[in-house]
């Protein structure tokens, strides 16, 4: 039986990992997609990251989590460009 059985479990692991990775730079987190693929979870989140004294930029972070051990197997981060 896997340790991560629900989307809420996967979101909680992802949130904890984001807090450890980014620390005080981390702002608001909005989960946009949480999917289970065989024995791992793919979690996509829009996050606000501080990148300077008064500058906060939105980023899309995708995290791959092992559902049996809750270890993060990999992640990618992309800054979201605003179009006007």
């Amino acid at each position: 039986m896997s340790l991560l059985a629900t989307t809420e479990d996967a979101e909680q692991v992802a949130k904890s990992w984001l807090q450890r990775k980014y620390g005080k730079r981390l702002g608001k987190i909005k989960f946009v997609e949480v999917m289970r693929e065989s024995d791992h979870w793919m979690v996509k989140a829009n996050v606000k990251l501080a990148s300077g004294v008064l500058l906060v930029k939105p980023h899309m972070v995708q995290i791959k989590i092992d559902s049996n051990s809750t270890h993060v197997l990999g992640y990618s981060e992309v800054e979201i460009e605003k179009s006007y």
Side-chain angles (χ1 to χ4, degrees):
M1 184 169 157
S2 69
L3 295 173
L4 301 178
T6 66
T7 56
E8 291 81 15
D9 294 339
E11 287 177 357
Q12 184 59 44
V13 170
K15 184 176 180 180
S16 296
W17 183 84
L18 287 166
Q19 290 171 336
R20 284 192 311 273
K21 170 121 178 92
Y22 297 110
K24 293 184 180 192
R25 291 184 49 214
L26 183 64
K28 185 177 177 183
I29 303 169
K30 180 180 177 187
F31 294 104
V32 293
E33 186 177 330
V34 181
M35 293 186 332
R36 184 174 183 149
E37 297 176 355
S38 64
D39 63 345
H40 63 273
W41 287 87
M42 296 299 290
V43 179
K44 289 183 184 178
N46 288 334
V47 299
K48 304 264 184 187
L49 294 177
S51 60
V53 178
L54 298 173
L55 187 60
V56 176
K57 294 184 178 180
H59 288 74
M60 172 67 77
V61 179
Q62 182 173 333
I63 306 167
K64 184 176 183 179
I65 305 169
D66 183 340
S67 63
N68 296 316
S69 68
T70 71
H71 289 109
V72 172
L73 303 173
Y75 80 100
S76 67
E77 172 191 328
V78 178
E79 183 178 333
I80 299 173
E81 297 292 328
K82 290 185 180 182
S83 59
Y84 296 96

